[in-house]
Amino acid sequence: MGPTRKPNVCRRLSHRALGFFSRDAGVVQRTNLGILRALVCQESTKFKNVWTTHSKSPIAYERGRIYFDNYRCCVSSVASEPRKLYEMPKCSKSEKIEDALLWECPVGDMLPNPSDYKSSLIALTAHNWLLRISATTGKVLGKVYLASYCKFRYVSWDTPQEVIAVKSAQNKGSALARQAGIRQPVLLYLAVFRVLPFSLIGVLEINKKIFGNVTDATLSHGILIVMYSSGLVRLYSFQAIAEQAKNGIQEMECCSLESDWIYFHPDASGRIIHVGPNQVKVLKLNEVENNSAQHQISEDFVILANREKNKSENLPTVTASGRVVKKKFNLLDDDPEQETFKIVDYEDELDLLSVVAVTQIDAEGKAHLDFHCNEYGTLLKSIPLVESWDVTYSHEVYFDRDLVLHIEQKPSRIFSCYVYQMVCDPGEEEETINRSCEKE
């Protein structure tokens, strides 16, 4: 007999959670994820690049599925080799999907149609249609037209799995208007929808006459987050929280070319993640003492980049008389030769923060993915990415259970996808599982 194939640890744990083995039931799911977290973070565990693919169109990832050709082709990332799930018919450029979110059926809700109980993609097309597409077959289940007065480009969750925010491209105005010195007051629009069924809640106009010289804006958990080039961030609410929150204006003390970004923590803890080039701040909202109507923002923990403090450079300058003078200057906080944070995400099932840090070494950038404790910010594990990281192009990194996925854009609009899978020492894997089982 040939060698037996070693079962996948994620699959074994999933089977236990569903009650496939005796004395097990669905209630052990949290315990199983605790086992997986321990396996992921233990020192001997490695993440191996199992396959790589390339595409001439953008590549996207959602919950175990990789999407190619503007979401037209769907491939499973769970197998050790790519496996096509479905492929939608070819369409015109105006009908192509620009952005999408995965919607999953809410637990316990009574829904009008049988198809509503299955996962679907909430997709935004180039010609401003919002579609709901079956995540398993690619069939269009519903659609609504947005507007003709602007070009909508991005879709994100306001309230996860319930309310979405559809964001327009920024209004730069025509070249003729810019030459004439005419400034467009409206920077962008945010259209807010309930998902099932599609129903419009409202459209927000981000107007510079109201908000000032704003550079970007987004909506998260019912709070409008407005950003400025100076690093200033303002938080607004439809229910007048701006007048009831202390420290509602946050500033990141950094000097960089790229702006910092801020958003509500996806773990539904009410905390806020504020990311700069050399630090990640996790903030929390607390009630003001003796005044429950007011809230203030305080620091929960901070993750700092691994770099020398007060790093500076000495440049020699030779004067006309031959005297050498050294000039001292400080580097920018996002200088590529220093470790810089590029991506921060949250793995909800393992309760881990994942942080991508990049350092430019000579002409090549090197990146590593760090796992941090979501409660205290402690560094638990660091995984080096084998491929080089070109800081001049866009990148996305996803951490999903035992999978790490890196999508990058290369010159000439070539997109690459690198898939890493967890590899454990068999003896330590068995020992970790047995030790966890003994605790039950």
Side-chain angles (χ1 to χ4, degrees):
M1 289 180 64
T4 57
R5 185 177 176 184
K6 186 174 179 294
N8 181 282
V9 65
C10 268
R11 197 167 298 164
R12 287 177 65 188
L13 294 176
S14 296
H15 285 177
R16 284 189 64 205
L18 295 170
F20 280 27
F21 304 115
S22 61
R23 301 192 308 276
D24 288 329
V27 293
V28 299
Q29 173 75 349
R30 186 173 296 276
T31 304
N32 290 343
L33 292 174
I35 296 173
L36 183 57
R37 175 180 162 135
L39 290 171
V40 164
C41 295
Q42 70 184 8
E43 189 176 351
S44 62
T45 298
K46 309 294 181 188
F47 278 77
K48 180 184 177 183
N49 182 207
V50 291
W51 59 271
T52 300
T53 188
H54 308 281
S55 171
K56 292 184 179 179
S57 61
I59 304 171
Y61 175 79
E62 286 280 359
R63 291 283 185 183
R65 296 178 175 92
I66 305 174
Y67 295 93
F68 297 91
D69 195 13
N70 298 101
Y71 293 89
R72 197 175 66 84
C73 179
C74 178
V75 171
S76 171
S77 67
V78 177
S80 57
E81 294 182 2
R83 180 172 63 88
K84 187 184 289 186
L85 298 177
Y86 66 80
E87 187 170 352
M88 297 169 67
K90 290 186 177 181
C91 60
S92 64
K93 284 187 176 181
S94 65
E95 294 174 307
K96 73 176 184 179
I97 296 173
E98 300 240 326
D99 199 8
L101 294 171
L102 182 66
W103 178 83
E104 295 175 299
C105 170
V107 178
D109 286 6
M110 294 295 292
L111 303 175
N113 301 306
S115 62
D116 296 340
Y117 290 94
K118 296 182 180 180
S119 299
S120 56
L121 276 181
I122 307 299
L124 175 65
T125 69
H127 59 341
N128 279 2
W129 279 89
L130 199 59
L131 309 179
R132 192 165 71 87
I133 301 169
S134 168
T136 53
T137 64
K139 180 183 176 182
V140 176
L141 304 174
K143 61 181 181 178
V144 63
Y145 185 68
L146 296 174
S148 59
Y149 53 80
C150 68
K151 169 78 170 98
F152 285 98
R153 184 161 289 171
Y154 314 101
V155 59
S156 61
W157 291 113
D158 173 24
T159 304
Q161 303 299 319
E162 294 181 17
V163 179
I164 59 170
V166 189
K167 181 176 171 180
S168 75
Q170 292 195 7
N171 186 5
K172 304 293 185 182
S174 65
L176 191 62
R178 290 197 299 270
Q179 288 175 0
I182 302 172
R183 294 185 178 182
Q184 295 290 334
V186 178
L187 178 70
L188 55 87
Y189 294 90
L190 288 166
V192 187
F193 283 86
R194 292 199 185 280
V195 174
L196 200 64
F198 280 144
S199 57
L200 180 67
I201 295 174
V203 178
L204 296 174
E205 181 182 274
I206 307 302
N207 195 311
K208 292 182 179 181
K209 290 181 180 179
I210 298 171
F211 294 101
N213 195 23
V214 58
T215 58
D216 201 4
T218 188
L219 195 63
S220 177
H221 292 74
I223 291 186
L224 177 65
I225 303 171
V226 181
M227 287 152 272
Y228 300 82
S229 58
S230 62
L232 187 71
V233 177
R234 285 197 169 104
L235 308 178
Y236 297 88
S237 170
F238 303 125
Q239 298 179 351
I241 273 187
E243 289 80 25
Q244 299 176 351
K246 289 183 179 179
N247 301 337
I249 297 175
Q250 292 291 311
E251 290 192 73
M252 178 71 71
E253 293 181 5
C254 62
C255 179
S256 61
L257 297 175
E258 294 186 14
S259 61
D260 52 317
W261 70 98
I262 190 169
Y263 57 97
F264 274 91
H265 199 309
D267 69 354
S269 63
R271 293 183 297 174
I272 297 167
I273 297 178
H274 193 181
V275 185
N278 62 344
Q279 56 183 313
V280 178
K281 289 184 177 181
V282 177
L283 311 169
K284 56 185 177 182
L285 283 167
N286 297 317
E287 288 185 0
V288 175
E289 192 174 353
N290 300 324
N291 189 349
S292 60
Q294 279 196 328
H295 289 75
Q296 62 183 0
I297 296 175
S298 61
E299 214 171 76
D300 197 7
F301 62 81
V302 179
I303 299 170
L304 297 175
N306 184 19
R307 53 172 66 175
E308 297 175 24
K309 291 185 178 179
N310 303 320
K311 184 176 179 181
S312 60
E313 296 275 339
N314 291 322
L315 277 187
T317 302
V318 181
T319 65
S321 62
R323 188 166 62 94
V324 176
V325 178
K326 286 188 176 180
K327 289 185 177 180
K328 188 176 181 179
F329 70 95
N330 291 322
L331 295 174
L332 290 172
D333 286 317
D334 61 349
D335 187 280
E337 293 184 0
Q338 303 182 93
E339 184 176 272
T340 304
F341 293 139
K342 295 294 184 182
I343 297 171
V344 177
D345 204 356
Y346 174 64
E347 214 298 339
D348 57 344
E349 293 185 297
L350 304 185
D351 196 29
L352 292 172
L353 276 177
S354 60
V355 180
V356 177
V358 179
T359 307
Q360 188 83 14
I361 303 170
D362 297 326
E364 192 175 75
K366 284 295 181 184
H368 56 90
L369 175 64
D370 295 342
F371 299 152
H372 291 263
C373 169
N374 183 45
E375 188 174 0
Y376 303 110
T378 312
L379 177 62
L380 301 175
K381 190 175 185 65
S382 186
I383 300 169
L385 298 183
V386 177
E387 62 278 5
S388 62
W389 185 292
D390 190 335
V391 295
T392 59
Y393 291 94
S394 64
H395 298 259
E396 294 174 69
V397 174
Y398 300 93
F399 168 44
D400 191 355
R401 286 191 170 193
D402 64 337
L403 194 79
V404 170
L405 197 125
H406 174 204
I407 298 172
E408 69 167 339
Q409 180 183 343
K410 290 185 172 182
S412 304
R413 281 190 61 81
I414 297 296
F415 298 85
S416 297
C417 177
Y418 308 88
V419 178
Y420 292 76
Q421 210 151 30
M422 183 179 79
V423 179
C424 292
D425 177 86
E428 291 196 24
E429 178 184 315
E430 197 68 33
E431 184 182 340
T432 303
I433 294 174
N434 291 338
R435 191 165 54 243
S436 300
C437 289
E438 288 171 3
K439 293 178 181 178
E440 293 181 21

